[in-house]
Amino acid sequence: GAVVSQHPSWVICKSGTSVKIECRSLDFQATTMFWYRQFPKQSLMLMATSNEGSKATYEQGVEKDKFLINHASLTLSTLTVTSAHPEDSSFYICSAREVRRAETQYFGPGTRLLVL
Amino acid sequence: GENVEQHPSTLSVQEGDSAVIKCTYSDSASNYFPWYKQELGKRPQLIIDIRSNVGEKKDQRIAVTLNKTAKHFSLHITETQPEDSAVYFCAASRYGGSQGNLIFGKGTKLSVKP
């Protein structure tokens, strides 16, 4: 139980294009989903918190117009990196918090983004 | 806001020895402390967690201790095995109400030598 999937697992795109990453909770309902960014050999940096049916809360320094987050249902949140640039290349990981055990976060497998 | 410090950044032990990783946190209101294991290129996996109303929790070879007064918590792995080699992250959260974001430490790379 408590499985989180992400799609795609990796993507290569040209500078200036937009990339959408999906995060799904497969066997539970997630009231809240989180988006993290992880650079090589570094920790997870929280980018934003996404609640179903409401606007995402972004961490300080994260551009909301650059990283669009939509949480349309209790099982799906999407992160769109708009007008991607090489400095946006990173490992993006989502996590989901289960309704019944609300403090625990389960992580997706991550999406590796490379912007050329 | 919350700040989590984690030490050491790297740890190398012989198979069968114990490993201890320590974390401190700054927000006395934090009440949930999970530990995650992340293998290279993979997702973080929750291995154990502890809430502020408990001082110690154990699950087979893994244990976590919490000292609320000193605001630090530790991960203890006994009888280490090569498959324990990974990066371990501690985190703290002030779960309750609208809060609940995990603030992560910088990670500890554990290497278990056979």
Side-chain angles (χ1 to χ4, degrees):
Chain A
V3 178
V4 177
S5 71
Q6 259 181 265
H7 179 81
S9 55
W10 63 278
V11 58
I12 301 173
C13 69
K14 292 182 180 180
S15 187
T17 61
S18 294
V19 175
K20 179 185 281 189
I21 302 170
E22 291 186 350
C23 177
R24 293 181 184 272
S25 55
L26 298 185
D27 53 0
F28 66 98
Q29 292 185 326
T31 52
T32 307
M33 289 184 171
F34 303 86
W35 287 96
Y36 295 85
R37 185 171 180 178
Q38 187 176 34
F39 291 104
K41 298 184 180 180
Q42 293 191 24
S43 188
L44 295 102
M45 184 191 77
L46 179 65
M47 298 175 66
T49 302
S50 165
N51 290 295
E52 186 262 341
S54 62
K55 290 184 179 180
T57 302
Y58 290 82
E59 294 300 300
Q60 191 173 9
V62 178
E63 299 175 58
K64 61 178 69 175
D65 294 330
K66 173 77 173 176
F67 300 99
L68 300 178
I69 292 172
N70 183 280
H71 194 156
S73 75
L74 284 172
T75 60
L76 173 64
S77 176
T78 60
L79 167 68
T80 301
V81 183
T82 62
S83 187
H85 288 96
E87 57 265 31
D88 298 324
S89 299
S90 190
F91 191 49
Y92 292 89
I93 309 179
C94 72
S95 70
R97 198 162 66 188
E98 188 179 8
V99 171
R100 290 176 302 168
R101 195 176 174 217
E103 71 275 11
T104 303
Q105 291 187 27
Y106 300 96
F107 284 84
T111 297
R112 198 164 297 281
L113 171 64
L114 177 61
V115 184
L116 301 176
Chain B
E2 175 67 281
N3 183 50
V4 177
E5 299 283 340
Q6 183 172 347
H7 298 281
S9 56
T10 60
L11 179 60
S12 182
V13 299
Q14 284 295 131
E15 182 178 1
D17 288 350
S18 295
V20 180
I21 302 171
K22 299 181 179 181
C23 288
T24 60
Y25 60 99
S26 60
D27 187 351
S28 56
S30 289
N31 55 13
Y32 174 65
F33 308 93
W35 285 88
Y36 286 87
K37 174 184 179 182
Q38 186 179 30
E39 297 177 13
L40 190 62
K42 297 188 176 181
R43 77 184 80 195
Q45 297 270 16
L46 178 69
I47 56 171
I48 196 166
D49 56 12
I50 192 167
R51 293 169 184 77
S52 59
N53 59 347
V54 176
E56 184 175 355
K57 184 176 178 180
K58 190 173 181 180
D59 182 4
Q60 299 183 334
R61 296 186 298 110
I62 296 173
V64 57
T65 58
L66 170 66
N67 183 325
K68 284 193 297 183
T69 303
K71 289 190 283 188
H72 68 68
F73 56 111
S74 301
L75 177 71
H76 304 253
I77 305 174
T78 58
E79 300 172 28
T80 54
Q81 302 166 2
E83 50 266 37
D84 294 330
S85 296
V87 178
Y88 291 80
F89 292 100
C90 64
S93 169
R94 187 174 56 172
Y95 179 70
S98 60
Q99 300 298 321
N101 300 342
L102 287 176
I103 304 300
F104 284 87
K106 292 189 182 299
T108 296
K109 183 177 181 180
L110 173 65
S111 300
V112 180
K113 298 179 181 179

Short mmCIF file of all heavy atoms in Angstrom, two decimals, chain A residues 59-114:
data_model
loop_
_atom_site.label_atom_id
_atom_site.label_comp_id
_atom_site.label_asym_id
_atom_site.label_seq_id
_atom_site.Cartn_x
_atom_site.Cartn_y
_atom_site.Cartn_z
N GLU A 59 7.47 27.73 -1.51
CA GLU A 59 8.52 28.10 -0.57
C GLU A 59 9.23 29.36 -1.06
O GLU A 59 9.20 29.70 -2.26
CB GLU A 59 9.53 26.97 -0.41
CG GLU A 59 8.93 25.73 0.24
CD GLU A 59 8.40 25.98 1.63
OE1 GLU A 59 9.20 26.41 2.51
OE2 GLU A 59 7.19 25.76 1.85
N GLN A 60 9.83 30.04 -0.13
CA GLN A 60 10.52 31.28 -0.45
C GLN A 60 11.60 31.01 -1.50
O GLN A 60 12.37 30.06 -1.39
CB GLN A 60 11.16 31.85 0.82
CG GLN A 60 11.68 33.27 0.67
CD GLN A 60 12.14 33.84 2.00
OE1 GLN A 60 12.22 33.15 3.00
NE2 GLN A 60 12.43 35.13 2.02
N GLY A 61 11.61 31.86 -2.51
CA GLY A 61 12.61 31.74 -3.56
C GLY A 61 12.19 30.89 -4.74
O GLY A 61 12.90 30.83 -5.74
N VAL A 62 11.05 30.24 -4.66
CA VAL A 62 10.55 29.41 -5.76
C VAL A 62 9.54 30.23 -6.54
O VAL A 62 8.55 30.73 -5.98
CB VAL A 62 9.89 28.12 -5.23
CG1 VAL A 62 9.34 27.30 -6.40
CG2 VAL A 62 10.89 27.31 -4.42
N GLU A 63 9.79 30.38 -7.84
CA GLU A 63 8.92 31.21 -8.68
C GLU A 63 7.65 30.47 -9.02
O GLU A 63 7.67 29.46 -9.74
CB GLU A 63 9.66 31.58 -9.96
CG GLU A 63 10.95 32.37 -9.76
CD GLU A 63 11.67 32.57 -11.08
OE1 GLU A 63 11.06 33.15 -12.00
OE2 GLU A 63 12.82 32.11 -11.23
N LYS A 64 6.52 30.98 -8.61
CA LYS A 64 5.25 30.30 -8.86
C LYS A 64 4.86 30.34 -10.33
O LYS A 64 4.16 29.44 -10.81
CB LYS A 64 4.14 30.91 -8.00
CG LYS A 64 3.88 32.37 -8.23
CD LYS A 64 2.72 32.86 -7.37
CE LYS A 64 3.08 32.89 -5.90
NZ LYS A 64 2.00 33.47 -5.06
N ASP A 65 5.32 31.36 -11.05
CA ASP A 65 5.00 31.42 -12.48
C ASP A 65 5.90 30.52 -13.29
O ASP A 65 5.61 30.21 -14.44
CB ASP A 65 5.14 32.86 -12.98
CG ASP A 65 4.11 33.78 -12.35
OD1 ASP A 65 3.01 33.28 -12.02
OD2 ASP A 65 4.40 34.96 -12.18
N LYS A 66 6.99 30.10 -12.70
CA LYS A 66 7.94 29.22 -13.36
C LYS A 66 7.57 27.76 -13.14
O LYS A 66 7.66 26.94 -14.04
CB LYS A 66 9.34 29.49 -12.78
CG LYS A 66 10.43 28.56 -13.22
CD LYS A 66 10.88 28.91 -14.58
CE LYS A 66 12.09 28.11 -14.96
NZ LYS A 66 12.49 28.36 -16.35
N PHE A 67 7.15 27.47 -11.95
CA PHE A 67 6.79 26.11 -11.56
C PHE A 67 5.30 26.09 -11.21
O PHE A 67 4.90 26.39 -10.09
CB PHE A 67 7.64 25.65 -10.38
CG PHE A 67 9.11 25.64 -10.64
CD1 PHE A 67 9.92 26.69 -10.22
CD2 PHE A 67 9.70 24.59 -11.34
CE1 PHE A 67 11.29 26.69 -10.47
CE2 PHE A 67 11.06 24.57 -11.59
CZ PHE A 67 11.85 25.62 -11.16
N LEU A 68 4.49 25.73 -12.21
CA LEU A 68 3.04 25.72 -12.04
C LEU A 68 2.60 24.39 -11.45
O LEU A 68 2.94 23.33 -11.97
CB LEU A 68 2.36 25.95 -13.39
CG LEU A 68 2.69 27.27 -14.09
CD1 LEU A 68 1.96 27.33 -15.44
CD2 LEU A 68 2.32 28.46 -13.23
N ILE A 69 1.83 24.47 -10.38
CA ILE A 69 1.36 23.26 -9.72
C ILE A 69 -0.15 23.23 -9.72
O ILE A 69 -0.80 24.21 -9.39
CB ILE A 69 1.91 23.18 -8.29
CG1 ILE A 69 3.42 22.95 -8.33
CG2 ILE A 69 1.21 22.07 -7.49
CD1 ILE A 69 4.09 23.05 -6.98
N ASN A 70 -0.68 22.08 -10.10
CA ASN A 70 -2.12 21.87 -10.10
C ASN A 70 -2.43 20.57 -9.36
O ASN A 70 -1.81 19.54 -9.60
CB ASN A 70 -2.63 21.78 -11.55
CG ASN A 70 -4.13 21.63 -11.60
OD1 ASN A 70 -4.67 20.54 -11.42
ND2 ASN A 70 -4.82 22.72 -11.83
N HIS A 71 -3.37 20.64 -8.44
CA HIS A 71 -3.76 19.46 -7.66
C HIS A 71 -5.26 19.28 -7.86
O HIS A 71 -6.06 19.68 -7.03
CB HIS A 71 -3.41 19.69 -6.20
CG HIS A 71 -3.45 18.45 -5.36
ND1 HIS A 71 -2.74 18.34 -4.18
CD2 HIS A 71 -4.11 17.29 -5.50
CE1 HIS A 71 -2.97 17.16 -3.65
NE2 HIS A 71 -3.81 16.51 -4.42
N ALA A 72 -5.61 18.66 -8.98
CA ALA A 72 -7.01 18.62 -9.41
C ALA A 72 -7.85 17.58 -8.70
O ALA A 72 -9.08 17.69 -8.63
CB ALA A 72 -7.06 18.37 -10.92
N SER A 73 -7.21 16.55 -8.15
CA SER A 73 -7.97 15.50 -7.49
C SER A 73 -7.17 14.98 -6.31
O SER A 73 -6.02 15.36 -6.10
CB SER A 73 -8.27 14.36 -8.47
OG SER A 73 -7.10 13.58 -8.70
N LEU A 74 -7.77 14.08 -5.56
CA LEU A 74 -7.10 13.53 -4.38
C LEU A 74 -6.01 12.52 -4.74
O LEU A 74 -5.34 11.99 -3.86
CB LEU A 74 -8.12 12.86 -3.45
CG LEU A 74 -8.97 13.82 -2.62
CD1 LEU A 74 -10.07 13.05 -1.89
CD2 LEU A 74 -8.13 14.60 -1.63
N THR A 75 -5.85 12.24 -6.02
CA THR A 75 -4.82 11.28 -6.43
C THR A 75 -3.85 11.82 -7.47
O THR A 75 -2.96 11.10 -7.91
CB THR A 75 -5.48 10.00 -7.00
OG1 THR A 75 -6.28 10.36 -8.13
CG2 THR A 75 -6.34 9.31 -5.95
N LEU A 76 -3.99 13.07 -7.85
CA LEU A 76 -3.13 13.59 -8.92
C LEU A 76 -2.71 15.02 -8.67
O LEU A 76 -3.54 15.90 -8.40
CB LEU A 76 -3.85 13.51 -10.27
CG LEU A 76 -3.16 14.17 -11.47
CD1 LEU A 76 -1.84 13.45 -11.77
CD2 LEU A 76 -4.07 14.16 -12.69
N SER A 77 -1.41 15.25 -8.77
CA SER A 77 -0.86 16.60 -8.76
C SER A 77 0.12 16.70 -9.92
O SER A 77 0.80 15.72 -10.24
CB SER A 77 -0.14 16.90 -7.44
OG SER A 77 0.46 18.19 -7.47
N THR A 78 0.16 17.86 -10.56
CA THR A 78 1.10 18.04 -11.67
C THR A 78 1.98 19.25 -11.43
O THR A 78 1.55 20.25 -10.83
CB THR A 78 0.37 18.22 -13.01
OG1 THR A 78 -0.46 19.38 -12.94
CG2 THR A 78 -0.47 17.01 -13.35
N LEU A 79 3.21 19.13 -11.87
CA LEU A 79 4.18 20.22 -11.82
C LEU A 79 4.58 20.53 -13.25
O LEU A 79 5.04 19.63 -13.97
CB LEU A 79 5.42 19.82 -11.01
CG LEU A 79 6.64 20.74 -11.12
CD1 LEU A 79 6.37 22.09 -10.48
CD2 LEU A 79 7.87 20.08 -10.47
N THR A 80 4.38 21.76 -13.68
CA THR A 80 4.81 22.16 -15.01
C THR A 80 5.95 23.16 -14.89
O THR A 80 5.79 24.21 -14.26
CB THR A 80 3.65 22.80 -15.80
OG1 THR A 80 2.57 21.86 -15.89
CG2 THR A 80 4.10 23.19 -17.20
N VAL A 81 7.07 22.80 -15.47
CA VAL A 81 8.21 23.69 -15.53
C VAL A 81 8.08 24.48 -16.82
O VAL A 81 8.19 23.93 -17.92
CB VAL A 81 9.55 22.93 -15.51
CG1 VAL A 81 10.73 23.89 -15.49
CG2 VAL A 81 9.62 21.99 -14.31
N THR A 82 7.78 25.76 -16.71
CA THR A 82 7.54 26.57 -17.90
C THR A 82 8.82 27.22 -18.40
O THR A 82 9.70 27.59 -17.60
CB THR A 82 6.51 27.67 -17.60
OG1 THR A 82 7.03 28.54 -16.59
CG2 THR A 82 5.20 27.07 -17.10
N SER A 83 8.92 27.33 -19.72
CA SER A 83 10.08 27.93 -20.35
C SER A 83 11.38 27.46 -19.67
O SER A 83 12.14 28.24 -19.10
CB SER A 83 9.97 29.47 -20.28
OG SER A 83 11.00 30.07 -21.02
N ALA A 84 11.56 26.17 -19.74
CA ALA A 84 12.70 25.55 -19.03
C ALA A 84 14.04 26.04 -19.55
O ALA A 84 14.21 26.29 -20.76
CB ALA A 84 12.60 24.03 -19.14
N HIS A 85 14.98 26.19 -18.62
CA HIS A 85 16.35 26.56 -18.96
C HIS A 85 17.30 25.54 -18.37
O HIS A 85 16.92 24.78 -17.46
CB HIS A 85 16.66 27.97 -18.44
CG HIS A 85 15.97 29.04 -19.20
ND1 HIS A 85 14.79 29.60 -18.80
CD2 HIS A 85 16.29 29.64 -20.38
CE1 HIS A 85 14.40 30.50 -19.67
NE2 HIS A 85 15.30 30.55 -20.63
N PRO A 86 18.53 25.49 -18.83
CA PRO A 86 19.48 24.48 -18.32
C PRO A 86 19.60 24.46 -16.80
O PRO A 86 19.78 23.39 -16.22
CB PRO A 86 20.80 24.88 -18.99
CG PRO A 86 20.37 25.48 -20.30
CD PRO A 86 19.10 26.22 -19.99
N GLU A 87 19.46 25.61 -16.16
CA GLU A 87 19.57 25.63 -14.68
C GLU A 87 18.40 24.98 -13.99
O GLU A 87 18.43 24.75 -12.77
CB GLU A 87 19.74 27.08 -14.17
CG GLU A 87 18.63 28.02 -14.59
CD GLU A 87 18.98 28.79 -15.84
OE1 GLU A 87 19.72 28.27 -16.71
OE2 GLU A 87 18.48 29.94 -15.97
N ASP A 88 17.35 24.65 -14.76
CA ASP A 88 16.20 23.92 -14.20
C ASP A 88 16.45 22.42 -14.19
O ASP A 88 15.65 21.66 -13.63
CB ASP A 88 14.92 24.22 -14.99
CG ASP A 88 14.55 25.70 -14.93
OD1 ASP A 88 14.75 26.32 -13.88
OD2 ASP A 88 14.06 26.22 -15.96
N SER A 89 17.53 22.00 -14.82
CA SER A 89 17.86 20.57 -14.84
C SER A 89 18.06 20.09 -13.41
O SER A 89 18.83 20.67 -12.65
CB SER A 89 19.12 20.33 -15.66
OG SER A 89 18.95 20.75 -16.99
N SER A 90 17.37 19.03 -13.06
CA SER A 90 17.43 18.54 -11.68
C SER A 90 16.63 17.26 -11.57
O SER A 90 16.05 16.77 -12.55
CB SER A 90 16.86 19.61 -10.74
OG SER A 90 17.10 19.28 -9.39
N PHE A 91 16.59 16.72 -10.36
CA PHE A 91 15.77 15.56 -10.02
C PHE A 91 14.57 16.10 -9.24
O PHE A 91 14.75 16.71 -8.18
CB PHE A 91 16.61 14.59 -9.19
CG PHE A 91 16.01 13.23 -8.98
CD1 PHE A 91 15.51 12.50 -10.05
CD2 PHE A 91 15.96 12.66 -7.72
CE1 PHE A 91 14.97 11.23 -9.86
CE2 PHE A 91 15.43 11.39 -7.52
CZ PHE A 91 14.94 10.67 -8.59
N TYR A 92 13.38 15.91 -9.78
CA TYR A 92 12.18 16.41 -9.13
C TYR A 92 11.42 15.23 -8.52
O TYR A 92 11.13 14.24 -9.20
CB TYR A 92 11.28 17.15 -10.13
CG TYR A 92 11.90 18.43 -10.62
CD1 TYR A 92 12.73 18.43 -11.74
CD2 TYR A 92 11.66 19.64 -9.97
CE1 TYR A 92 13.32 19.61 -12.19
CE2 TYR A 92 12.24 20.82 -10.41
CZ TYR A 92 13.07 20.80 -11.52
OH TYR A 92 13.65 21.96 -11.96
N ILE A 93 11.13 15.33 -7.23
CA ILE A 93 10.44 14.23 -6.53
C ILE A 93 9.17 14.78 -5.88
O ILE A 93 9.20 15.84 -5.26
CB ILE A 93 11.32 13.62 -5.42
CG1 ILE A 93 12.70 13.25 -5.96
CG2 ILE A 93 10.66 12.38 -4.85
CD1 ILE A 93 13.61 12.68 -4.88
N CYS A 94 8.11 14.02 -6.02
CA CYS A 94 6.88 14.39 -5.32
C CYS A 94 6.68 13.45 -4.14
O CYS A 94 7.25 12.37 -4.09
CB CYS A 94 5.68 14.34 -6.26
SG CYS A 94 5.17 12.67 -6.70
N SER A 95 5.87 13.89 -3.22
CA SER A 95 5.46 13.00 -2.14
C SER A 95 3.99 13.26 -1.85
O SER A 95 3.45 14.32 -2.20
CB SER A 95 6.30 13.21 -0.87
OG SER A 95 6.00 14.46 -0.28
N ALA A 96 3.36 12.30 -1.24
CA ALA A 96 1.94 12.42 -0.94
C ALA A 96 1.69 12.03 0.49
O ALA A 96 2.33 11.12 1.03
CB ALA A 96 1.12 11.53 -1.88
N ARG A 97 0.77 12.75 1.08
CA ARG A 97 0.42 12.48 2.48
C ARG A 97 -0.94 11.83 2.52
O ARG A 97 -1.92 12.37 1.99
CB ARG A 97 0.44 13.79 3.26
CG ARG A 97 0.52 13.62 4.75
CD ARG A 97 0.98 14.90 5.41
NE ARG A 97 0.04 15.97 5.29
CZ ARG A 97 0.30 17.22 5.65
NH1 ARG A 97 1.49 17.53 6.12
NH2 ARG A 97 -0.61 18.16 5.52
N GLU A 98 -1.00 10.66 3.16
CA GLU A 98 -2.25 9.91 3.19
C GLU A 98 -3.21 10.51 4.20
O GLU A 98 -2.81 10.98 5.26
CB GLU A 98 -1.94 8.46 3.57
CG GLU A 98 -3.11 7.51 3.45
CD GLU A 98 -2.73 6.08 3.82
OE1 GLU A 98 -1.61 5.86 4.29
OE2 GLU A 98 -3.58 5.19 3.64
N VAL A 99 -4.47 10.48 3.87
CA VAL A 99 -5.50 11.06 4.74
C VAL A 99 -5.50 10.39 6.11
O VAL A 99 -5.53 11.04 7.15
CB VAL A 99 -6.90 10.92 4.10
CG1 VAL A 99 -7.99 11.31 5.09
CG2 VAL A 99 -7.00 11.78 2.86
N ARG A 100 -5.39 9.04 6.13
CA ARG A 100 -5.55 8.31 7.37
C ARG A 100 -4.33 8.42 8.28
O ARG A 100 -4.42 8.33 9.48
CB ARG A 100 -5.85 6.84 7.09
CG ARG A 100 -7.24 6.60 6.50
CD ARG A 100 -7.42 5.14 6.16
NE ARG A 100 -6.41 4.68 5.23
CZ ARG A 100 -6.21 3.40 4.95
NH1 ARG A 100 -6.93 2.48 5.53
NH2 ARG A 100 -5.28 3.05 4.09
N ARG A 101 -3.15 8.54 7.67
CA ARG A 101 -1.94 8.63 8.49
C ARG A 101 -1.23 9.91 8.06
O ARG A 101 -0.22 9.88 7.38
CB ARG A 101 -1.06 7.42 8.28
CG ARG A 101 -0.03 7.30 9.36
CD ARG A 101 0.82 6.05 9.25
NE ARG A 101 1.88 6.12 10.24
CZ ARG A 101 3.11 5.68 10.05
NH1 ARG A 101 3.43 5.11 8.93
NH2 ARG A 101 4.02 5.81 11.00
N ALA A 102 -1.84 11.01 8.45
CA ALA A 102 -1.58 12.28 7.78
C ALA A 102 -0.18 12.82 7.93
O ALA A 102 0.20 13.68 7.15
CB ALA A 102 -2.60 13.30 8.23
N GLU A 103 0.60 12.38 8.90
CA GLU A 103 1.93 12.99 9.02
C GLU A 103 2.96 12.29 8.14
O GLU A 103 4.03 12.82 7.89
CB GLU A 103 2.41 12.98 10.47
CG GLU A 103 2.77 11.62 11.02
CD GLU A 103 1.59 10.87 11.56
OE1 GLU A 103 0.45 11.31 11.32
OE2 GLU A 103 1.80 9.83 12.21
N THR A 104 2.66 11.11 7.64
CA THR A 104 3.64 10.35 6.86
C THR A 104 3.59 10.72 5.39
O THR A 104 2.52 10.79 4.80
CB THR A 104 3.37 8.84 7.01
OG1 THR A 104 3.41 8.50 8.40
CG2 THR A 104 4.41 8.03 6.26
N GLN A 105 4.74 10.95 4.82
CA GLN A 105 4.84 11.25 3.39
C GLN A 105 5.46 10.06 2.66
O GLN A 105 6.47 9.51 3.09
CB GLN A 105 5.70 12.49 3.16
CG GLN A 105 5.05 13.77 3.64
CD GLN A 105 5.84 15.00 3.25
OE1 GLN A 105 6.57 15.00 2.25
NE2 GLN A 105 5.72 16.05 4.04
N TYR A 106 4.83 9.71 1.55
CA TYR A 106 5.34 8.64 0.70
C TYR A 106 5.83 9.27 -0.60
O TYR A 106 5.12 10.07 -1.20
CB TYR A 106 4.25 7.61 0.43
CG TYR A 106 3.74 6.96 1.69
CD1 TYR A 106 2.59 7.44 2.31
CD2 TYR A 106 4.41 5.89 2.27
CE1 TYR A 106 2.13 6.87 3.49
CE2 TYR A 106 3.94 5.31 3.44
CZ TYR A 106 2.81 5.81 4.04
OH TYR A 106 2.36 5.25 5.21
N PHE A 107 7.02 8.90 -1.00
CA PHE A 107 7.66 9.55 -2.13
C PHE A 107 7.47 8.81 -3.44
O PHE A 107 7.40 7.57 -3.47
CB PHE A 107 9.16 9.71 -1.86
CG PHE A 107 9.48 10.82 -0.91
CD1 PHE A 107 9.43 10.61 0.46
CD2 PHE A 107 9.79 12.08 -1.39
CE1 PHE A 107 9.69 11.65 1.34
CE2 PHE A 107 10.06 13.12 -0.52
CZ PHE A 107 10.01 12.91 0.85
N GLY A 108 7.38 9.58 -4.51
CA GLY A 108 7.40 9.01 -5.85
C GLY A 108 8.83 8.68 -6.23
O GLY A 108 9.78 9.03 -5.52
N PRO A 109 9.01 8.03 -7.39
CA PRO A 109 10.34 7.59 -7.82
C PRO A 109 11.20 8.71 -8.39
O PRO A 109 12.38 8.52 -8.63
CB PRO A 109 10.04 6.53 -8.88
CG PRO A 109 8.71 6.93 -9.40
CD PRO A 109 7.96 7.53 -8.26
N GLY A 110 10.60 9.87 -8.59
CA GLY A 110 11.38 11.00 -9.10
C GLY A 110 11.36 11.11 -10.61
O GLY A 110 11.12 10.14 -11.33
N THR A 111 11.60 12.31 -11.09
CA THR A 111 11.71 12.61 -12.52
C THR A 111 13.00 13.37 -12.74
O THR A 111 13.23 14.41 -12.12
CB THR A 111 10.52 13.47 -13.01
OG1 THR A 111 9.30 12.74 -12.85
CG2 THR A 111 10.72 13.85 -14.47
N ARG A 112 13.83 12.81 -13.60
CA ARG A 112 15.10 13.48 -13.90
C ARG A 112 14.89 14.35 -15.14
O ARG A 112 14.53 13.84 -16.20
CB ARG A 112 16.20 12.45 -14.14
CG ARG A 112 17.60 13.03 -14.03
CD ARG A 112 18.64 11.93 -13.90
NE ARG A 112 18.49 11.13 -12.69
CZ ARG A 112 18.88 11.53 -11.47
NH1 ARG A 112 19.45 12.70 -11.31
NH2 ARG A 112 18.73 10.74 -10.44
N LEU A 113 15.10 15.65 -14.99
CA LEU A 113 14.90 16.61 -16.08
C LEU A 113 16.24 17.15 -16.54
O LEU A 113 17.04 17.63 -15.73
CB LEU A 113 14.01 17.78 -15.63
CG LEU A 113 13.89 18.96 -16.59
CD1 LEU A 113 13.23 18.55 -17.90
CD2 LEU A 113 13.12 20.11 -15.94
N LEU A 114 16.46 17.07 -17.84
CA LEU A 114 17.67 17.63 -18.44
C LEU A 114 17.25 18.62 -19.52
O LEU A 114 16.54 18.24 -20.47
CB LEU A 114 18.55 16.54 -19.06
CG LEU A 114 19.81 17.03 -19.79
CD1 LEU A 114 20.74 17.77 -18.83
CD2 LEU A 114 20.55 15.86 -20.43
#
